């Protein structure tokens, strides 16, 4: 008889801030916020900043006075560094269990029922994972262990918020009464997948705590909230309904867009921005072995400046044949941009979306399909991806994306990309 499912959720504590502090120890105990693209809003906050009442998404300009008063250090997002450290953590976790789902940049689920005994049990396995990641990468993680993914999320929350667990909470190790007491102490909004709006609706019918949701009738929840809430209720009861996703499903649309560091007016700079976005999106498209049947291109002015002239437009450009070729997709996108561009406006954002995606291996050939040309295109794209994978993103790119890129996003306080750039390696002094 197969063993009952056992999940572990490993979550890096305060991930973005922890990555920054790893290479800048002087930031330890210093209030730190990491800002979004163009240094706009807080996307990560140290515990010191949270204690000051700063909420996630707070615009930087609104907290500058508080920052001056409490010496808050603001850093631009360094996604290259964060992504590399995330991959290192995932690599370590794969040594512990073959079944892993990298759920987000700082979280991974593992199925451990077949391997936990190799480490002396689940709690011991959790503690060893914590120790190894701390030693090999330098980041602190918490581990939640439970019979379902939803409960593992809950256990991770308990491990993170309650020192009594010392970073590892195994719900199996708690008595039934202890589990129910912890559930009673947590608001229903702490349940994975229950956001602010759903929590308000649940509270309106008397479901205020995690325990209340666990004890609700699944059929009634399904009638009022749908099958997802019914599944969540069953998961809280220890009935595993959510399988591990070993391979992320292919995306049905791929978008690339970004606000500019400063408003731009010329179509030449817009062309560079759009071409750059196509390059990023096309790389992701090839990464999931898909082809796109159309490209949607759009431009926007700054809606937060209502006194300035406003103009927003978009256009869908169908392709004669579905493609993953950066050059073909760029040609279509630039033709769309030419059609929607209007002079006299200050544009703040442009972007593209690849849509009508399908499996490349099942691509429908057309009457005029040029097989040799298609083969050359595939070879060229494979070579470009290989060069960029080895020597860094945008080592090779379409000429239309330009070289100066004055439109690029603002990141005035970005730390060095310590682990991926030779010229930005940390120095010991």
């Amino acid at each position: 008889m197969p063993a009952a499912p056992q999940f572990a959720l490993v979550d890096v504590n305060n991930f973005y801030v922890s990555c920054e502090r790893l290479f800048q120890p002087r930031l330890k105990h210093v209030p730190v916020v990491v800002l979004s693209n163009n240094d706009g809003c807080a996307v990560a906050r140290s515990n010191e900043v949270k204690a000051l009442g700063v909420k996630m998404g707070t615009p930087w300009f609104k907290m500058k006075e508080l920052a001056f008063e409490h010496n808050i250090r603001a850093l631009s997002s360094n996604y290259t560094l964060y992504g590399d450290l995330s991959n290192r953590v995932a690599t370590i976790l794969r040594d512990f269990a073959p079944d892993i789902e990298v759920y987000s940049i700082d979280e991974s689920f593992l199925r451990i029922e077949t391997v936990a005994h190799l480490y002396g049990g689940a709690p011991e396995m959790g503690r060893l994972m914590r120790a190894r990641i701390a030693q090999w990468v330098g980041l602190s993680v918490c581990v939640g262990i439970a019979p379902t993914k939803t409960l593992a999320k809950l256990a991770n929350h308990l491990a993170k918020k309650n020192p009594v667990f010392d970073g590892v909470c195994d719900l199996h190790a708690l008595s039934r009464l202890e589990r129910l007491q912890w559930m009673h102490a947590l608001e229903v909004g702490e349940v994975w997948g229950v956001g602010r709006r759903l929590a308000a609706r649940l509270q309106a019918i008397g479901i205020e705590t995690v325990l209340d949701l666990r004890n609700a009738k699944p059929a009634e929840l399904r009638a009022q909230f749908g099958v997802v809430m019914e599944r969540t209720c069953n998961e809280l009861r220890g009935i595993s309904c959510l399988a591990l996703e070993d391979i992320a499903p292919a995306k049905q649309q791929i978008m690339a867009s970004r606000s500019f560091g400063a408003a731009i007016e010329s179509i030449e700079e817009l062309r560079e921005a759009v071409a750059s976005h196509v390059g990023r999106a096309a790389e992701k498209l090839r990464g999931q072995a898909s082809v796109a049947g159309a490209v949607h291109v759009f431009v926007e002015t700054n809606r937060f400046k209502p006194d300035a002239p406003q103009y927003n437009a978009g256009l869908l450009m169908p392709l004669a044949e579905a493609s993953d070729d950066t050059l073909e997709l760029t040609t279509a996108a630039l033709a769309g941009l030419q059609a929607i561009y209007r002079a006299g406006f200050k544009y703040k954002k442009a972007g593209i979306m690849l849509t009508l995606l399908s499996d490349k291996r099942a691509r429908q050939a057309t009457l005029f399909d040029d097989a040799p040309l298609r083969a050359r295109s595939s070879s060229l794209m494979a070579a470009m991806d290989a060069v960029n994978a080895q020597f860094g993103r945008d080592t090779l790119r379409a000429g239309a994306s330009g070289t100066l890129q004055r439109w690029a996003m603002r990141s005035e306080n970005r730390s060095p990309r310590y682990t991926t750039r030779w010229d930005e390696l940390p120095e010991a002094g």
Side-chain angles (χ1 to χ4, degrees):
M1 185 175 179
Q6 196 172 19
F7 295 88
L9 176 64
V10 182
D11 180 15
V12 183
N13 301 327
N14 242 342
F15 181 58
Y16 289 180
V17 172
S18 296
C19 291
E20 298 290 353
R21 285 174 167 172
L22 180 61
F23 293 96
Q24 301 183 71
R26 64 182 180 277
L27 295 179
K28 191 174 182 179
H29 305 307
V30 172
V32 175
V33 293
V34 177
L35 303 176
S36 62
N37 293 338
N38 288 309
D39 296 342
C41 304
V43 294
R45 304 151 295 153
S46 68
N47 290 332
E48 296 82 2
V49 174
K50 293 176 184 177
L52 295 173
V54 176
K55 303 297 183 183
M56 181 71 79
T58 301
W60 171 237
F61 75 88
K62 286 188 176 181
M63 63 175 109
K64 282 191 174 181
E65 193 172 308
L66 186 70
F68 179 79
E69 181 181 352
H70 295 278
N71 193 30
I72 297 176
R73 178 74 182 276
L75 299 172
S76 304
S77 297
N78 189 344
Y79 295 118
T80 303
L81 175 65
Y82 309 152
D84 182 64
L85 293 178
S86 173
N87 291 335
R88 296 184 186 207
V89 171
T91 299
I92 292 172
L93 293 178
R94 289 189 179 93
D95 287 340
F96 282 91
D99 298 325
I100 178 173
E101 173 190 343
V102 179
Y103 178 67
S104 67
I105 194 169
D106 60 346
E107 294 177 286
S108 293
F109 285 102
L110 295 82
R111 281 287 293 265
I112 64 172
E113 68 269 14
T114 60
V115 295
H117 68 281
L118 300 175
Y119 306 96
E124 290 74 14
M125 181 181 180
R127 284 189 277 272
L128 183 56
M129 285 191 288
R130 288 194 80 221
R132 188 171 296 179
I133 291 169
Q135 182 180 8
W136 291 10
V137 184
L139 297 174
S140 172
V141 303
C142 283
V143 184
I145 301 167
T148 72
K149 291 172 75 174
T150 302
L151 284 174
K153 267 279 202 178
L154 195 68
N156 186 278
H157 175 81
L158 294 175
K160 187 174 293 188
K161 300 296 183 180
N162 298 277
V164 66
F165 293 109
D166 195 25
V168 178
C169 176
D170 180 7
L171 292 188
H172 299 88
L174 303 180
S175 68
R176 183 176 185 276
L177 178 60
E178 288 175 319
R179 290 196 297 271
L180 297 182
Q181 286 175 334
W182 282 112
M183 288 183 176
H184 179 69
L186 293 174
E187 294 183 357
V188 70
E190 296 295 344
V191 176
W192 183 33
V194 178
R196 186 180 304 172
R197 292 182 180 178
L198 270 179
R201 289 179 61 193
L202 288 168
Q203 290 163 357
I205 61 172
I207 299 178
E208 298 185 352
T209 69
V210 176
L211 184 60
D212 291 336
L213 183 56
R214 176 201 179 277
N215 292 338
K217 295 180 179 179
E220 293 182 1
L221 289 173
R222 178 170 184 159
Q224 294 190 58
F225 300 93
V227 67
V228 174
M229 189 60 69
E230 177 191 33
R231 191 181 301 146
T232 298
C233 177
N234 284 325
E235 285 249 328
L236 290 175
R237 295 181 174 194
I239 304 170
S240 182
C241 304
L242 300 172
L244 209 65
E245 293 186 4
D246 301 322
I247 301 175
K251 295 180 179 178
Q252 298 304 304
Q253 296 176 327
I254 298 177
M255 176 177 282
S257 67
R258 189 162 289 173
S259 297
F260 305 133
I264 61 177
E265 298 183 61
S266 71
I267 192 170
E268 289 76 19
E269 287 181 299
L270 282 174
R271 285 172 59 87
E272 288 187 3
V274 166
S276 294
H277 293 327
V278 172
R280 296 285 174 88
E283 185 177 337
K284 294 179 182 178
L285 184 72
R286 294 189 291 273
Q288 67 175 39
S290 296
V291 288
V295 185
H296 181 263
V297 59
F298 64 91
V299 292
E300 299 177 3
T301 51
N302 192 342
R303 64 181 183 276
F304 297 109
K305 291 187 176 180
D307 295 337
Q310 298 291 313
Y311 174 68
N312 304 305
L315 185 63
L316 183 69
M317 300 294 294
L319 301 174
E321 298 178 28
S323 175
D324 64 357
D325 188 303
T326 297
L327 304 182
E328 293 178 15
L329 296 170
T330 300
T331 299
L334 294 183
L337 174 65
Q338 186 70 45
I340 62 175
Y341 173 75
R342 298 292 181 270
F345 292 97
K346 294 185 177 180
Y347 295 95
K348 184 60 177 174
K349 186 176 185 178
I352 64 97
M353 181 169 65
L354 304 182
T355 187
L356 300 181
L357 305 191
S358 58
D359 190 331
K360 182 176 182 178
R361 294 162 294 188
R363 186 178 67 86
Q364 181 67 45
T366 68
L367 179 62
F368 303 102
D369 191 47
D370 188 335
L373 179 63
R374 189 65 56 193
R376 289 197 297 273
S377 168
S378 294
S379 297
L380 176 60
M381 293 300 105
M384 185 166 72
D385 290 342
V387 169
N388 288 336
Q390 181 170 354
F391 297 103
R393 175 177 283 175
D394 290 339
T395 301
L396 287 180
R397 62 180 186 268
S401 62
T403 56
L404 297 178
Q405 299 190 339
R406 297 185 181 90
W407 49 268
M409 74 172 184
R410 186 171 63 249
S411 55
E412 298 170 351
N413 299 305
R414 180 183 58 77
S415 56
R417 292 159 289 191
Y418 299 103
T419 61
T420 56
R421 295 288 292 263
W422 286 108
D423 56 342
E424 297 181 21
L425 286 172
E427 297 181 1

